[in-house]
Amino acid sequence: MILTHIVACSENRVIGTQGGLPWDLPEDMKFFRDTTKGHIMIMGRKTFDSFNGKALPNRYHIVVTRDPSKQSFQSTDKSPVVFVSSLEEAVAHARPLTAQWGDEVFIIGGGEIYKQAFAKNLTDKVYLTLIHREFPGDTYYPEIDQNLFNLTERRDVELPIPFSFLTYLKK
Ligand SMILES: NC(=O)c1ccc[n+]([C@@H]2O[C@H](COP(=O)([O-])OP(=O)(O)OC[C@H]3O[C@@H](n4cnc5c(N)ncnc54)[C@H](OP(=O)(O)O)[C@@H]3O)[C@@H](O)[C@H]2O)c1
């Protein structure tokens, strides 16, 4: 199993504001959709809430919440949604499903979940869209520890605002 963060952040590390994204970047949204399609996605409950009650098609959603019994969602075979009580439980739940849903499991945020994934050593790879602007916000992505991760790929985009698709791999 490969645990991969997929995240977009600004130069000042902002990823979110008031429960949503601070920007509208269609090319990055397409990258997110294309990359996660058919895979398992692990997320915090607040990030799941930001989908406004709609699970994404053809993805297996694992939502981390301190009280899974309080949560409910009408899911389908094509886009299952399950609730678990920790990041470790999310990874354990994902493991036997990788034969069907792919070996690369995406950690899709938000700030609390990315931070814990680094702290608990549950990160092998990062797809980081770095937006070369500063944005105001209330949720942040941690600095990537250059002692632990190598930048292995970079693709720069200029429009509608300059940003870069970066790939980091654990050393
Ligand atoms: N730019 C990006 O790439 C990107 C990606 C994802 C999200 N975002 C943005 O980030 C923001 C949301 O991030 P966030 O940090 O506020 O929230 P989050 O990480 O999405 O979710 C936090 C919630 O996860 C649960 N949780 C966290 N740690 C837990 C643990 N150890 N055990 C059990 N449950 C745990 C709790 O749910 P309960 O409260 O239910 O217990 C907590 O309230 C939004 O603005 C969203 O749009 C941006």
Side-chain angles (χ1 to χ4, degrees):
M1 181 196 283
I2 301 166
L3 289 170
T4 301
H5 293 200
I6 185 163
V7 57
C9 85
S10 62
E11 289 286 355
N12 54 331
R13 310 307 281 186
V14 163
I15 63 165
T17 182
Q18 296 178 344
L21 297 178
W23 44 74
D24 180 22
L25 275 183
E27 188 172 345
D28 184 53
M29 288 311 292
K30 181 177 181 331
F31 174 74
F32 175 85
R33 282 196 309 274
D34 292 349
T35 309
T36 59
K37 194 168 183 188
H39 289 264
I40 300 166
M41 307 192 306
I42 295 173
M43 71 206 80
R45 192 267 307 159
K46 290 182 184 171
T47 292
F48 183 66
D49 282 354
S50 76
F51 296 172
N52 295 320
K54 285 191 209 130
L56 304 185
N58 298 312
R59 288 149 184 91
Y60 193 108
H61 306 63
I62 306 179
V63 184
V64 182
T65 169
R66 294 200 165 79
D67 193 353
S69 66
K70 257 191 353 203
Q71 313 287 337
S72 69
F73 189 85
Q74 197 73 33
S75 68
T76 65
D77 287 350
K78 279 202 151 186
S79 52
V81 178
V82 298
F83 297 93
V84 299
S85 63
S86 69
L87 195 48
E88 290 87 340
E89 200 185 321
V91 172
H93 184 95
R95 206 173 287 284
L97 299 170
T98 54
Q100 186 186 349
W101 290 88
D103 199 44
E104 188 163 24
V105 172
F106 291 96
I107 295 176
I108 68 158
E112 289 186 35
I113 296 300
Y114 292 132
K115 190 175 167 193
Q116 291 174 41
F118 277 129
K120 293 170 191 265
N121 204 14
L122 294 171
T123 308
D124 303 305
K125 184 172 165 183
V126 176
Y127 286 132
L128 172 66
T129 303
L130 181 60
I131 299 157
H132 300 299
R133 288 265 171 90
E134 303 223 332
F135 279 84
D138 52 32
T139 318
Y140 295 85
Y141 190 66
E143 289 292 339
I144 296 177
D145 187 339
Q146 309 287 333
N147 295 316
L148 300 179
F149 290 86
N150 279 328
L151 177 64
T152 58
E153 279 175 65
R154 174 178 182 140
R155 181 164 71 85
D156 296 327
V157 181
E158 289 307 321
L159 292 171
I161 52 173
F163 64 98
S164 303
F165 289 111
L166 306 176
T167 305
Y168 290 86
L169 284 180
K170 190 137 161 230
K171 289 183 183 173

